[in-house]
Amino acid sequence: MRDELTGKPQRERTDLHGTGLRYKVRYVDPEGRERSKSFPDRRKKAAEDFLGEMESGVRAGTYLDPDAGKVPFREYAESWVKGQSSDASSRQSIESRLRSQLYPFFDRRPVDAIGPARVRDWLAWLEERRLDGTYRAVLFDTLSSIMNAAVEDKLIRDNPCQARSIKRPRRSTHRVVPWPVERVRAVQEGLAERWRLAADVGAGLGLRQGEVLGLSAGDLDTAEAVLHVVRQLRIIRGQLVFAPPKGGKSRTVPLPDEVRAAVAMHRRSFPPTRVRLPWLEPGGRTVEVELLLSNERGEPHSGDHFNKVMWRGAFRATGLVYAPRTDGMHALRHFYASTLLAGGVSIKEVAEYLGHADPGFTLRTYTHLVPSSHARARQAVDAVLGGGANSSDGLRTA
């Protein structure tokens, strides 16, 4: 278009006016490479601030590559998982949490775009799904660990999970109510005969379900009256494997006469079966174990199959109402712990027999089951301050 008076060309604004990149910032990163970033019209102040931040970071040693944090959350998390526990079952649990509760929300979002506001929205989303408080706390710890790693890898400057506005989910507190012995016996009677031993060793030795299903006759030392808990049966990526007990630590548990007799009786009716499975994870070296518990074909069962068929079948057979929260096989461990505490066994010993790494966890779980020592405390003080059991003078002051 030309000006009517001068005839000179005249510029005319189009829809693209002001939308181009007008300012270009150049700086040298700590590796000596020249970097640049462009800014649109009317963003001169933003360009200057960016340049100042980059140069300041280079001088102070706190420089972050502005492009490093653009990696998608899922991609970074998948890399992070590889550096976690070498235990296949632990990695499988972490991967399951990521797939079900983190990837659906964060997925392709860049790591540096996950701020406190996004974390708060995610926590609200988890609460709307009515997830248990303890599970939400575990999920939060998983996200926080990933973002901590991102800080260490210099993808982001701060972990958004540690912002003051973020409230970590509180773990649920479910008071353990041990089964009465009558319920233990009823479930035991309801189990099919070849699986009845599971209730005997669960209630009498406090084993976890995988440890029960992976139990071998060779684990019993009848001379010393102990059981060596050295393995469990797990399912990893859809395949049964043998693995060390939870935490990778074996332990020794006292062997009561009742349990020893139950094992002997079971072996007469159902001789141990040699089972060869991978150790730790599919494709690993195989080990052969003489299992005490197996089906009619001499095959072991996964915990899921045992729960759905044998365990719940015992409730149906006896007419007992099954409550998922309190009636899982873990109830036998609670029964075992409560029995020991009622018998005066110390918390430290109970923790050792249950395979708890922290006796404090055992105390927090079962503290309400520890017999009261109030009477013994009163008697002890009265015996000293009262001058003897028959004294009626009480405590005198000078």
Side-chain angles (χ1 to χ4, degrees):
M1 180 176 180
R2 293 180 179 274
D3 185 278
E4 294 181 354
L5 298 177
T6 64
K8 295 181 179 180
Q10 186 176 6
R11 293 182 178 179
E12 185 176 81
R13 293 185 177 181
T14 68
D15 293 339
L16 298 177
H17 179 78
T19 62
L21 297 177
R22 181 173 182 181
Y23 305 104
K24 189 171 186 177
V25 172
R26 290 186 175 89
Y27 63 96
V28 177
D29 69 14
E31 303 298 326
R33 297 170 299 187
E34 182 177 288
R35 308 292 297 271
S36 66
K37 182 176 180 179
S38 297
F39 291 80
D41 194 19
R42 301 190 182 92
R43 295 294 305 280
K44 182 179 180 181
K45 180 65 166 56
E48 291 172 342
D49 291 345
F50 175 80
L51 178 60
E53 180 183 352
M54 294 300 103
E55 291 180 338
S56 175
V58 171
R59 288 193 300 271
T62 60
Y63 170 82
L64 292 181
D65 184 339
D67 296 325
K70 304 305 179 187
V71 59
F73 175 82
R74 178 191 288 262
E75 181 180 327
Y76 184 72
E78 288 174 347
S79 173
W80 170 82
V81 169
K82 297 175 183 177
Q84 301 311 297
S85 172
S86 59
D87 177 51
S89 62
S90 297
R91 288 200 309 274
Q92 180 174 264
S93 297
I94 296 172
E95 290 168 352
S96 176
R97 293 197 293 269
L98 289 170
R99 286 194 302 270
S100 62
Q101 309 299 341
L102 280 87
Y103 291 161
F105 196 87
F106 298 108
D107 197 28
R108 307 302 300 174
R109 178 176 287 265
V111 171
D112 64 359
I114 300 175
R118 187 63 177 173
V119 174
R120 290 194 297 271
D121 290 344
W122 173 67
L123 291 174
W125 179 71
L126 294 179
E127 194 164 355
E128 289 171 1
R129 304 184 81 180
R130 299 183 180 278
L131 300 179
D132 179 76
T134 298
Y135 184 45
R136 285 187 282 120
V138 170
L139 293 171
F140 179 83
D141 290 343
T142 301
L143 176 62
S144 185
S145 294
I146 293 172
M147 302 310 284
N148 270 337
V151 172
E152 293 173 356
D153 289 337
K154 296 187 176 181
L155 305 188
I156 55 177
R157 196 171 302 280
D158 301 300
N159 181 350
C161 295
Q162 295 177 358
R164 295 178 61 183
S165 62
I166 300 297
K167 304 299 182 185
R168 182 182 183 276
R170 298 184 63 179
R171 293 178 179 268
S172 305
T173 54
H174 302 298
R175 191 181 181 90
V176 172
V177 179
W179 281 3
V181 66
E182 293 78 16
R183 191 173 184 84
V184 174
R185 288 172 177 160
V187 172
Q188 183 181 36
E189 290 299 318
L191 284 167
E193 188 179 0
R194 74 179 305 119
W195 295 100
R196 199 164 291 165
L197 182 66
D200 290 305
V201 297
L205 299 172
L207 304 188
R208 299 181 178 92
Q209 185 184 67
E211 296 165 349
V212 171
L213 298 177
L215 188 62
S216 168
D219 301 334
L220 280 71
D221 185 341
T222 55
E224 296 293 330
V226 296
L227 170 78
H228 302 292
V229 186
V230 297
R231 85 185 63 77
Q232 63 176 321
L233 193 65
R234 299 296 303 265
I235 186 164
I236 303 295
R237 296 195 293 276
Q239 183 176 342
L240 283 171
V241 301
F242 289 128
K246 186 176 181 180
K249 186 178 180 181
S250 60
R251 65 187 188 277
T252 300
V253 180
L255 179 63
D257 290 339
E258 289 291 327
V259 177
R260 179 187 53 75
V263 171
M265 182 181 299
H266 176 85
R267 292 185 66 181
R268 287 194 293 269
S269 300
F270 309 100
T273 303
R274 290 184 176 275
V275 174
R276 180 173 288 276
L277 291 174
W279 183 255
L280 282 178
E281 56 184 306
R285 66 181 179 87
T286 60
V287 296
E288 187 174 81
V289 176
E290 283 193 336
L291 290 183
L292 285 169
L293 293 166
S294 61
N295 63 20
E296 293 81 357
R297 298 184 298 276
E299 302 167 338
H301 280 312
S302 68
D304 286 343
H305 186 273
F306 180 86
N307 286 335
K308 294 174 183 176
V309 180
M310 291 78 177
W311 186 253
R312 296 194 185 187
F315 283 78
R316 291 190 294 270
T318 55
L320 294 173
V321 177
Y322 178 81
R325 184 180 292 275
T326 58
D327 287 335
M329 193 174 175
H330 210 75
L332 298 181
R333 272 171 66 82
H334 295 325
F335 173 82
Y336 175 76
S338 66
T339 300
L340 296 190
L341 292 171
V345 180
S346 71
I347 279 287
K348 183 176 184 300
E349 290 174 305
V350 173
E352 181 181 338
Y353 300 153
L354 291 174
H356 290 165
D358 176 19
F361 171 80
T362 313
L363 180 61
R364 290 190 296 272
T365 304
Y366 299 112
T367 186
H368 62 290
L369 301 178
V370 178
S372 172
S373 61
H374 292 177
R376 293 195 300 273
R378 287 193 297 268
Q379 292 167 4
V381 173
D382 285 342
V384 174
L385 300 183
N390 298 321
S391 174
S392 59
D393 292 338
L395 176 65
R396 295 188 176 88
T397 58

